[in-house]
Amino acid sequence: MALLGALFLVLLAGAHAELPGCKIRITSKALELVKQEGLRFLEQELETITIPDLRGREGHFYYNISEKVYEFLSTFITSGMRFLLNQQICPVLYHAGMVLLNSLLDTVPVRGAVDELVGIDYSLLKDPVASTSNLDMEFRGAFYPLAEGNWSLPNRAVEPQLQEEERMVYVAFSEFFFDSAMESYFRAGALKLSLVGDKVPHDLDMLLRATYFGSIVLLSPAVIDSPLKLELRVMAPPRCTIKPSGTTISVTASVTIALVPPGQPEVQLSSMTMDARLSAKMALRGKALRTQLDLRRFRIYSNQSALESLALIPLQAPLKTMLQIGVMPMLNERTWRGVQIPLPEGINFVREVVTNNAGFLTIGADLHFAKGLREVIEKNRPADTRGPQASSAPPPSTAAV
C-alpha cells in the first residue's frame, strides 16, 4: 500500500511538472572553447601577480628567494616551501576563477523587459544536466505583459527535444514560446491598428467609398465627405504552428470601416472578419532570436450575411495589398529586433542552422567571443572589488597548485 501511495505521489508530481518553452544544449566543442578562453584569462591574471620575496627557515635550512628564480629552483622546493607558494598562488587562482564565473553568470538575462509592453522569463526549471559530452538546460521560456507581471500562460505544447551534438550550441523553442509572446502582446493591447483620413491609402479609400456608396449616399451631406477610418483589431491571441514543412502563425481579426465626421460620433459602414496566415522564418543573429513574417493567406467575410460576403470579394486584393505594404513592414520592424537568448555577454552565435520539427524548432550554431573575458569582467566588476586575499577565498591548500 505504501508503495502504491509513493508511486501515486511521483505520478502526481510529474503531472504538475512545468514543461520548458526553451532548451539549450552546450556541447563539448563549446565547453572546450570556453575552457581555452578561461585559460587565457587566468594566464593574464597570473601575469599581474606580484609575489614578495620569500624569507624563512625550514629546519636548519635558511632561504631568501626572489620572484625571478622561482622557476629555476622549482625542482628543489621542499614541502614547506610549496605550502608557502600555495599561500600566494592558490587564493589568486580561486579568486580569478570565481570572478570569471560570477561575472559571466551576472550577464545572463533571467527575467526582464523585451520592450515597453512585454517581458520574458528565462528562469531555470531544474538543475542543468551534465554528461560526458553535453550540458543541457531547461528554461521556462515564457513571455508576459509587463502590466501583469504575475500572469502566465499554461504550457500545453510539445516539449522540445535536443538530440544533435555537431555544433557548439543548440537552442530549441516550443510552440508555447511563441504563443506566450503573441498572447502577451494581445493582452497588452498592442495587436490593433487604426488608419484615419490620409493614413488610408488613396486607392483603397476610393474603392471603399465606391463599395459602400449605397450606404454613404443615404447619410447627411455633412457626413458624406468625412474622413474614412479603417480599423483592424485582433480578436483572439494568434497561434503558432510548427511543422517540418515550416512555421505558420494564424490570426483572426475584425475589420471595421467607418466615416469619422469632425466633432460627431463615427458612422460605421461595415464590419467584417479577416483570417490571415503568416509564414515565419527564424534566425539567430548575435544573441537575438529574430523573426521574418510574410503574409501567405488572406480571407475576409461578412459578419452579417453570405450575400454581403460576396460583395466583399472586390476588397480582398486591395486589403491584402494594404497589409503587405503598410502593416507587414511595421510588424517585421519589431520582430526583426528580436529577443535575447540567455547567453553570457560577449558570446554570440555564428553559422546557425534552423531545423523545424513537429511542435518545436531547433537552431544549431557555433559560438564566437565578441569580447574578451577580461573586458566582460571589467565592465561588470563592482566598484569595491575585493582583492585575492579577501575572505571569500578558500583556505590555502597544502597541496601544490
Side-chain angles (χ1 to χ4, degrees), residues 335-357:
T335 60
W336 196 247
R337 277 187 252 158
V339 60
Q340 189 171 354
I341 304 302
L343 271 185
E345 184 177 337
I347 301 178
N348 292 332
F349 293 105
V350 294
R351 295 182 290 275
E352 78 281 355
V353 176
V354 180
T355 303
N356 282 54
N357 303 276

Side-chain angles (χ1 to χ4, degrees), residues 214-268:
S215 299
I216 294 175
V217 76
L218 299 177
L219 300 175
S220 67
V223 175
I224 290 178
D225 294 326
S226 299
L228 194 71
K229 176 182 177 181
L230 178 64
E231 183 179 75
L232 286 79
R233 184 182 295 269
V234 174
M235 301 168 63
R239 286 292 176 254
C240 172
T241 302
I242 303 176
K243 297 180 179 180
S245 57
T247 301
T248 58
I249 296 174
S250 301
V251 184
T252 299
S254 65
V255 181
T256 302
I257 301 168
L259 292 176
V260 188
Q264 300 182 41
E266 65 181 48
V267 179
Q268 181 173 309

Side-chain angles (χ1 to χ4, degrees), residues 108-123 142-146 149 185 334 339-340:
V108 177
V110 176
R111 182 181 174 95
V114 175
D115 53 28
E116 69 280 2
L117 297 175
V118 165
I120 189 167
D121 186 347
Y122 276 124
S123 300
F143 292 78
Y144 59 92
L146 293 178
Y185 281 107
R334 172 62 195 89
V339 60
Q340 189 171 354

Side-chain angles (χ1 to χ4, degrees), residues 24-156:
I24 294 182
R25 165 169 288 182
I26 309 294
T27 69
S28 57
K29 295 179 181 178
L31 295 177
E32 182 64 27
L33 176 67
V34 175
K35 173 185 172 183
Q36 296 301 323
E37 193 69 22
L39 288 175
R40 279 193 289 271
F41 169 79
L42 291 179
E43 288 174 0
Q44 294 171 354
E45 285 291 295
L46 286 173
E47 290 175 358
T48 65
I49 297 173
T50 300
I51 303 177
D53 294 350
L54 296 182
R55 298 181 179 86
R57 176 178 179 177
E58 185 72 22
H60 296 292
F61 178 63
Y62 291 89
Y63 55 88
N64 184 349
I65 304 174
S66 65
E67 185 179 0
K68 295 181 180 179
V69 295
Y70 284 151
E71 184 176 355
F72 176 74
L73 295 177
S74 61
T75 56
F76 304 102
I77 294 177
T78 64
S79 60
M81 294 174 66
R82 186 177 294 113
F83 172 80
L84 291 175
L85 285 174
N86 285 330
Q87 297 289 314
Q88 298 290 332
I89 300 293
C90 287
V92 173
L93 291 180
Y94 174 84
H95 176 73
M98 291 304 296
V99 168
L100 167 63
L101 179 61
N102 291 329
S103 296
L104 286 177
L105 292 179
D106 286 344
T107 67
V108 177
V110 176
R111 182 181 174 95
V114 175
D115 53 28
E116 69 280 2
L117 297 175
V118 165
I120 189 167
D121 186 347
Y122 276 124
S123 300
L124 270 172
L125 296 183
K126 61 182 182 181
D127 292 338
V129 177
S131 67
T132 56
S133 56
N134 301 310
L135 178 66
D136 291 342
M137 296 171 285
E138 297 185 358
F139 299 90
R140 177 167 289 120
F143 292 78
Y144 59 92
L146 293 178
E148 304 176 69
N150 295 324
W151 174 85
S152 63
L153 177 70
N155 185 352
R156 301 185 179 91

